[in-house]
Amino acid sequence: MEGARVERQPLVEMRSVYKAFGGVHALEDVTVDLYAGEVVGLVGHNGAGKSTLIKILSGVYGADSGRIFIDGQEVTIRNPRDARGHGIETIYQNLALADNLDAPANIFLGREIMRGISLNEDAMEAESRKVLNRLRISVPSLRESVLNLSGGQRQAVAIGRAIYFNARILIMDEPTAALGPQEARQVGELIKQLKGQGLGIFLISHDIHDVFDHADRISVLKTGRLVGTVRTAEVTKDDVLTMIIAGTLPGKTQGNAAVAGG
Amino acid sequence: MSVETTAPRQTPAEAPPPARFGRVNVFQRFAAWAGFDTRLMGMVAALAVIWVGFHLQTGLFLTPRNLWNLMVQSSVVGVMVGGMVLVIVARQIDLSVGSVLGFVGMVMAFMQVQVFPLEVWWNPLATILIGLSLGALIGAFHGYVVAYLEVPSFIVTLGSLLAFRGGAWLVTSGRTMAPLDTTYQIFGGGINGSIGATWSWVGGLAAIVILVWYFVSSRARRRKYGFTVRPLWGEFLVIAINVGFVAGFVQLMNSYPFPGTTVPRGLPVPVLMMLGLGILMSTVLRSTRFWRYVFAIGGNPEAARFSGIPTRRITLIVFVIMGVLAAIAGIIATARLNAGTNSAGELAELSVIAAAVIGGTSLSGGVGSIPGAMIGAVLMESLRNGMVLMDLPSALQNVVQGAVLVLAVWLDVVYQRYRRR
C-alpha cells in the first residue's frame, strides 16, 4: 500500500459494536476499521454478523452500543440518509435496484434532479451516462428498465449510484455472487479503480478466492464476535478458513484492534 | 447482450442508439421511432376492431348518439381508473371503490335533499366539498391501516366493500333521495350536462396547443442534451396524428344534437372530467417525484426504503387519491341518475380493476399505464354497450366480459414473454 501510513487515521472505525435481536446476539464487541484506498474483506459463516455490521454502518439498523468514527470524528447514524450524508454508500447483495425503472431512475432514486416540481429526466440521463462512462461500462440504451440489463451492467448501475454521490466509503455485499466469470472480472476492475480514487471499501463475500483477489485486509467474524483482522499478504487461504471455521488465529495476525504499521 | 468495458471510442451521447430491433417487426419499429407505446397502439386497434365489429352487427354502434352515450357511460369507471392504476402499481389493491362510491354518493344526495335547501347556488358546491372530503377521509383510513398498521390492503378494502355498502343503506334506511339539485345534475351528462360546440372546440384547441408545445419543447430539450431527434418530417407526422385524434374526437362529440334541433351538445361534463383527470395524471403528475416513488415502491419496496423514500406516507397518499376519485365517480353517478341510491356503484371495483389490468397494469406491481387503463375502461364499456344493442341477455354479457378480461390478460402475458426473448 502507499507509504506514510503510520500517522494516518482510519476512514471509518466501528468500535465495540453490540447488537442483539431479541435474545440473539448478532454482534458482540466487534471492532473493525477501514483506511482510504484500501479494501477490507468481511468474512464468516452465515449468521456470523457481517450483514448486521454493515447495516449498522449504513443506517438500516441502530447498534445497541458501540461507537462509529469517520475521519477520527465520532458520528451518529440513525437512518440511511444519515449514512449517505457521511459519504457511506451501500451496494446490496440483490443490488437494491427497482427492476421496473430505468438506469437513471435507479441511480438517482431518492435524490432526483428536479426542474421545479418535475423530474428532470434528461439531466439525469446525461449525468448517468457520464458516471457509467467513468466506470467504463457501456449501456446502449439508458431508457430501458434495468431488468433487461446483464448482471455486470446492473452491478455498474448500483456502483454508479454510489459513486455519483461522492461516496467515500463503499460497502459491497456479495458483489459477484450472481455474476459469471467475465463479469466478476469487470467488477474486480471497478474495485481497483475505486481504490485508486481513494475510496475505502468494505467487501463482504462468501468466496474466499474473491476476497483474496481484492482485499488488502480481512476481518473474520464468527457467531457475532471478531476472530481477528489479518493482512491478506501475510496469510494463506487456509489460515483464513481456520479462522472462519474454528475461530482461532493463525500465528501472524494484528489482533483485535487494527493498528497502522506491519 | 454483451457488456463492454473497453473505453468507448466515441462519446455515447453522440452515437445513435444501436439498432436493438432484432426480433421486432415493422409496426413496433414505427411505434418506437414515433414515440408511441406499442401496447397502447395495440389497444386502440383492438378498440377499433370491436367498434367496427359491433357496427357491422347492429348498424347502430358507430352513430354520434351512441358514441356520445358510450363516453358518458365510461366516465364513472374512467375517473377512478387512474387511481386504481396507482394503487395496483404500489402493490396494493382497493376492492372498496364501488361501495365507497355508493356511500359517498348517498351522503351527498342526503345532504343535498334533506339538509341543504335545494336550488340555492351553494348547494352543489357544499355537497361536492363534503363528498370529496369524505372520500379523502375514507382513503386516508384505508391508507393508514394498510401502511402503518400493516393490514393487507385486500382485507382492509374487502371489509370496506361490505361495510360501506351497508353504510349506504343506513344513511337513509334504504330510501332513494331524489330529485337532486338541477345545477348538480350537470355533472351527470344528459340534457344540461354538456358544454356545447363552442366550448368543446375551445377545449380541443387548448389541447392541440398543449400537444404541439409538448412536442416542440421536448425536441428542443433533447437536442440540448445531445440526444437523437426525429427528422423534421417525422416530427410533423407524429404531431399531425395526435392532433387528428383530438380534432376527430371533438368533432364526434359535436355531432350529437339536442333532441329535435341541430344544436350540437358538445363534450359531456363527465367526459370532460374523465379526460381532464386522465390528462393530468398522465402528464403533470407523471413527472413528479411522488409518481416515481410509487413505481419504485411497486418495483422493489426494499430498494425504495433503502433509498430513503417515505414508503408508508406515499402508500397512504395513494389511497387518499383513490378515495377522492371514488367520490368524484359518486358525483357523476348520482348526478346521472338524478338520485342517490344505495346500490350505486355495485361491483364497480371489478370494472375498474379490469380496465386497469387490460390497460397494462400488472397485478404484481411496478408496472402500469393510465392512458392504457382509460382505453381499457372505454373498451369494457364498448363491449357492454354493443351487447346491449345486440339485445343479448345481461347474464350472457357478464360471461362475455369475464372471458374478454381473461383473454386480454393472457394476451398481455404472451406479449411480454415475446418481448423478452
Side-chain angles (χ1 to χ4, degrees), chain B residues 95-232:
Chain B
L95 299 175
S96 68
V97 294
S99 301
V100 170
L101 180 169
F103 177 71
V104 173
M106 206 56 190
V107 169
M108 285 194 290
F110 177 75
M111 299 300 293
Q112 200 172 104
V113 172
Q114 299 278 80
V115 176
F116 299 144
L118 276 175
E119 306 307 330
V120 294
W121 67 269
W122 52 266
N123 187 323
L125 189 64
T127 310
I128 287 172
L129 278 175
I130 289 177
L132 295 180
S133 313
L134 188 56
L137 206 64
I138 294 174
F141 168 71
H142 289 158
Y144 178 75
V145 175
V146 169
Y148 291 86
L149 301 184
E150 297 185 8
V151 181
S153 58
F154 187 94
I155 299 298
V156 178
T157 59
L158 184 60
S160 284
L161 180 153
L162 297 168
F164 283 112
R165 188 53 68 190
W169 191 94
L170 288 173
V171 173
T172 57
S173 300
R175 284 177 299 144
T176 300
M177 292 277 105
L180 301 179
D181 186 281
T182 39
T183 321
Y184 181 80
Q185 288 170 44
I186 290 176
F187 291 102
I191 283 288
N192 292 324
S194 48
I195 60 177
T198 333
W199 282 110
S200 300
W201 278 119
V202 167
L205 275 165
I208 288 175
V209 164
I210 293 176
L211 260 178
V212 172
W213 173 84
Y214 165 75
F215 278 111
V216 166
S217 70
S218 151
R219 182 188 177 86
R221 228 179 33 240
R222 288 188 73 76
R223 293 183 82 161
K224 177 175 128 191
Y225 283 103
F227 301 142
T228 52
V229 289
R230 288 186 282 267
L232 214 52

Side-chain angles (χ1 to χ4, degrees), chain A residues 23 32 34 62 70 86 92 109 125 140 177 200 234 243 255:
Chain A
V32 294
L34 175 70
I70 296 186
H86 290 295
Y92 293 95
L109 197 61
E125 184 175 341
E234 295 169 5
M243 291 171 76

Side-chain angles (χ1 to χ4, degrees), chain B residues 25-66:
Chain B
N25 62 35
V26 64
F27 292 116
Q28 285 170 305
R29 263 182 128 127
F30 172 69
W33 171 85
F36 294 146
D37 182 350
T38 343
R39 212 185 170 289
L40 207 63
M41 277 177 44
M43 288 192 66
V44 172
L47 194 67
V49 165
I50 289 176
W51 281 15
V52 170
F54 273 127
H55 188 73
L56 292 176
Q57 265 292 88
T58 63
L60 297 168
F61 195 90
L62 289 179
T63 60
R65 169 184 168 169
N66 190 48

